[in-house]
Amino acid sequence: MSSTAMSWSTAWRIARRDLNARFRGLRLLLVCLFLGTGALAAIGSLTAAIERELEANGRQFLGGDLQVELWQRSLNEEERAALAEYGDVSAGTRMQAMARFADQAAPIELKAVDESYPLFGTLTLEDGRTVGPPDGDEAWLSQGAADRLGVKLGDSILIGTAQLRVGGFIADEPDRLGEGFQLGPTIIVSEDLPQRAGLIAPGSMYQSKTRVKFSGNRDPEAVQDSLKARFPDAGFDIDTADRAAPGTDRFVDRMGEFLTLVGLAALVIAGIGIGGGVTSYLDARRQGIATLKILGATSGDIARIYALQIMAAALVGSLAGIAAGIAIVPLLAQALDGLLPVSAGFVVDPPALLLALAYGLLVALVFAAPPLLRARNFPAMALMRARVTPLARDRAALLVVGSGLAAIVALSLLTADQPMLSGGFLLGAAVLLGFLALLGLAIRKLAAVLPRPRSPIARNALANLHRPGSSTGALVTALGFGLSAFVLLAAVQSALDGNITKRVPERAPDYFVLDIPRERVTEFETLVQQADPKANWRTVPALRGSVLAFGPEEGMTRTADLAEIPDGAWALRGERGLTYADEVPPGNTITKGKWWGPFYAGEPQVSIDEDFAKAAGLEIGDMLTFGILGVEKQARISSFRRIDWESMGFNYVFVLSPNALQDVPHNLAATIELPQGTPTGPLLQALVRTFPSASVIEVGGVLSQARTILEQVGLATLAAASVAVLAGLAVLLGAIAAARAARTYDTVVLRVLGADRQQILIMQLIEYAILAAALAVVALAVGSFAGWLVVTQLFEFDWLPDWGQVLAVLGLGLAIVLAFALGASLPLLRAKPAQALRAL
């Protein structure tokens, strides 16, 4: 036997000749890597495209390098002069309003802009004109506003008390993404229109937005810190171009994390299939390996030849997956159109694609190494007898597998936005793999000690679970991951559906009405009663303010001095809704402290949300200082409340005693609920005519928009999780096919001894039914726990799965397993006994 090592070129020549052009025997490896790398390539490319779009167009989306927002007031001269020191300034107003045309009325988002608008990008109309703000008697309408009102170019509309001519329809609004969630379609008007139309008065609910285009190179964060230090009590809510759309950024981050975990899960499941597929492939070539050894090939030569074959197949599968990932990105972009900023067309992001390729090849290495190294060191005759004498494990595989796993972990942690999340996922996957391996061993041990059934068919089925060379371990791992993927998919999807049902109720108030003058509340109530005597309404005082300081009276913390807002204390960020009340608001429950009660005239008090109190470290008796219309108001915390945030009504983190806010200029807000079947149109028209400065929001449109967004999230989740399910199915098929190859000789022997086809099929079904039943409970627990983590910890939704649907999907998975097992058993019955026995 030659001791000279074979060259790589010679090894590749032999490998290429032996490697079937259609990769027969390695198709499971191809499919698994195709799914895993395809998912990672698509996810990485899409996320990179969105982030690149946000980074490249951040100033356009925001409308400036920096933006200052205030509620119920504009910047004063000193504040505006401070902004002008940094560059060009553009100011404007955003508010809810009503637009009228003939007998049509529609809630709109009124956007009043000055002569400098837009600082970045171009405002383009449908007729191709590039414009700035409209003239004083004109308006630019979004297509949604035009459709709601039924207007055409040149028509006259009413907004408040002002009559405006439709001067054009908006084709491209450059800062649309940065404006955030809207309660109506946009109409752009000149800066002075809200004042002329009677929409702005003391207490009116509006928002001023002042943007800056920096002159020269400036650090936005440094400018932001300087402004907050210079005006600590102004209540500025400041955004910078690198965070032009904070809500979108957060959604992209969360969705990207989830999708990346799905891709890693698909690769982990795929790895199991790769291990089984490579084992079956090498097992089918045991005679070729033995022949090469007899002819003088060394163990190293064997490793080179078959490693080259496997890596060639892995490279083909990974590259095909990457190509599919690139091809699917335009479809994902189309599905997410309007929800996320991503351009249509193909996206090629080299770092994302190289990362997907690296993951694919590393997973192939880790899971293919053990069977490959196991086969290389055995003597030729042992390889010949591998059917009846299983090959022992090779300790050298531990080094290769350990190195590969370390590389995967390092790659995952170094490239993850949240290393702890990815690390936790990989640790969980490792724990699950170890648990399933132990479970497979336990099932084998238990099957060996159980009393033997009287039925010979059942006895043989039980023996198949623990006999030498049984596939129980591989089947338990494949079934465990596959069925867990089924449960995970059903749990996440049904929980998202449950959140849509809970958070976006079918029945809600028909209208929200803003800016009702306090002195005209009786007139408002009369209008509602005239529409239907059985109508329900609720009015509350509505103000805006920011928390300037909080904590114990002797040592309050200035919000402006915080390096970052504590998790869960979101109400400290910017301005928030404020109200006052004599009684505890509906849907609220006092959990600690006491309510002040009617006619309270003592020290101003405030009741706060219990979750906010915990996040901000507040206690009963602590103080809060609010900035409202440039004036400081201080109140002592008297109670904590639990708030039903899902109720479609007025929910406030801060509710103050009436004597704290009654002297501040403000208006009322109201909800109106009409009895089922009462037409809503007449009341809407009456409200718009009687209260032209008020804003009437139709809740149905808002709910529809919220439902659409959640459904888009659910669709993206379903599509992504389906990749893991497909990988699980592929692994199941591969494991069952591998088990079938090992059973050929057993089946032949049974048939020689007189077993008929029906008995053999029943025996196979009993074996798989035992495994499936044992793993169903495990899959239900594992898949449900993983789903709970995704829904509650990643998406921060409520855990509301439909357990009937989850169990139904699990049952479907079990039926698929048994159907595959039955289908895989049929070829066993066609094996020719004489031919099979001669091959032993």
Side-chain angles (χ1 to χ4, degrees), residues 189-202:
V189 296
S190 62
E191 183 182 18
D192 64 339
L193 185 279
Q195 197 79 41
R196 287 194 291 115
L199 299 176
I200 291 182

Side-chain angles (χ1 to χ4, degrees), residues 63-85:
D65 289 296
L66 179 139
Q67 173 180 271
V68 176
E69 297 178 348
L70 282 170
W71 280 94
Q72 296 184 284
R73 76 176 183 93
S74 301
L75 296 183
N76 59 37
E77 291 185 8
E78 181 186 0
E79 292 164 342
R80 183 169 177 125
L83 286 184
E85 295 173 7

Side-chain angles (χ1 to χ4, degrees), residues 387-713:
R387 289 290 189 191
V388 293
T389 308
L391 301 179
R393 300 186 182 280
D394 190 321
R395 292 185 178 180
L398 293 175
L399 178 61
V400 177
V401 171
S403 301
L405 288 175
I408 290 173
V409 171
L411 198 60
S412 174
L413 297 181
L414 290 174
T415 58
D417 291 330
Q418 291 201 10
M420 293 296 293
L421 182 68
S422 295
F425 169 80
L426 291 174
L427 178 62
V431 170
L432 180 57
L433 275 172
F435 172 74
L436 290 175
L438 291 174
L439 181 62
L441 179 64
I443 289 176
R444 293 185 63 178
K445 296 291 187 183
L446 182 62
V449 299
L450 283 175
R452 296 292 175 262
R454 293 185 178 181
S455 167
I457 295 175
R459 188 162 57 248
N460 273 287
L462 190 63
N464 279 339
L465 294 174
H466 66 84
R467 64 176 176 75
S470 76
S471 305
T472 299
L475 285 171
V476 165
T477 305
L479 284 170
F481 267 94
L483 292 175
S484 296
F486 271 93
V487 173
L488 171 65
L489 176 64
V492 170
Q493 190 60 34
S494 66
L496 288 178
D497 289 342
N499 276 273
I500 291 174
T501 301
K502 181 179 180 182
R503 292 171 182 258
V504 190
E506 294 296 333
R507 185 64 181 153
D510 295 283
Y511 294 114
F512 280 95
V513 187
L514 306 178
D515 282 331
I516 304 169
R518 281 190 290 172
E519 65 276 8
R520 300 181 65 189
V521 64
T522 303
E523 191 175 354
F524 166 79
E525 293 174 343
T526 301
L527 277 182
V528 177
Q529 282 185 320
Q530 288 174 350
D532 194 310
K534 296 181 180 178
N536 293 318
W537 68 90
R538 177 187 170 206
T539 58
V540 297
L543 303 91
R544 301 286 297 193
S546 57
V547 178
L548 302 179
F550 61 96
E553 187 173 8
E554 64 278 3
M556 297 180 68
T557 300
R558 303 293 295 183
T559 306
D561 295 338
L562 294 174
E564 59 179 334
I565 300 299
D567 288 342
W570 51 269
L572 294 176
R573 186 180 292 110
E575 295 191 336
R576 299 293 160 189
L578 304 175
T579 192
Y580 59 83
D582 282 325
E583 304 290 344
V584 179
N588 289 221
T589 304
I590 298 295
T591 58
K592 189 175 182 181
K594 296 187 300 181
W595 192 262
W596 43 82
F599 311 112
Y600 176 76
E603 179 187 26
Q605 296 190 356
V606 61
S607 176
I608 64 177
D609 172 51
E610 62 176 357
D611 292 332
F612 168 75
K614 182 178 179 181
L618 294 170
E619 299 291 343
I620 301 295
D622 287 347
M623 304 295 290
L624 288 174
T625 300
F626 297 96
I628 307 170
L629 297 176
V631 177
E632 290 191 10
K633 295 282 185 177
Q634 196 170 66
R636 188 176 300 279
I637 299 173
S638 66
S639 63
F640 297 159
R641 288 169 295 119
R642 182 180 300 116
I643 303 173
D644 179 13
W645 292 105
E646 276 73 39
S647 64
M648 288 298 294
F650 294 111
N651 291 307
Y652 288 90
V653 175
F654 307 110
V655 178
L656 289 88
S657 57
N659 64 334
L661 297 177
Q662 280 180 328
D663 61 335
V664 179
H666 64 277
N667 290 325
L668 303 179
T671 58
I672 303 173
E673 184 175 347
L674 297 173
Q676 198 78 27
T678 300
T680 58
L683 176 59
L684 174 62
Q685 299 298 330
L687 287 171
V688 172
R689 285 193 305 269
T690 309
F691 298 97
S693 63
S695 303
V696 185
I697 302 167
E698 293 177 283
V699 177
V702 177
L703 295 184
S704 177
Q705 187 177 356
R707 187 177 287 111
T708 299
I709 291 173
L710 286 174
E711 286 173 351
Q712 281 183 293
V713 174

Side-chain angles (χ1 to χ4, degrees), residues 825-837:
S825 299
L826 294 176
L828 297 177
L829 305 179
R830 295 195 292 269
K832 299 184 181 301
Q835 182 180 354
L837 291 173

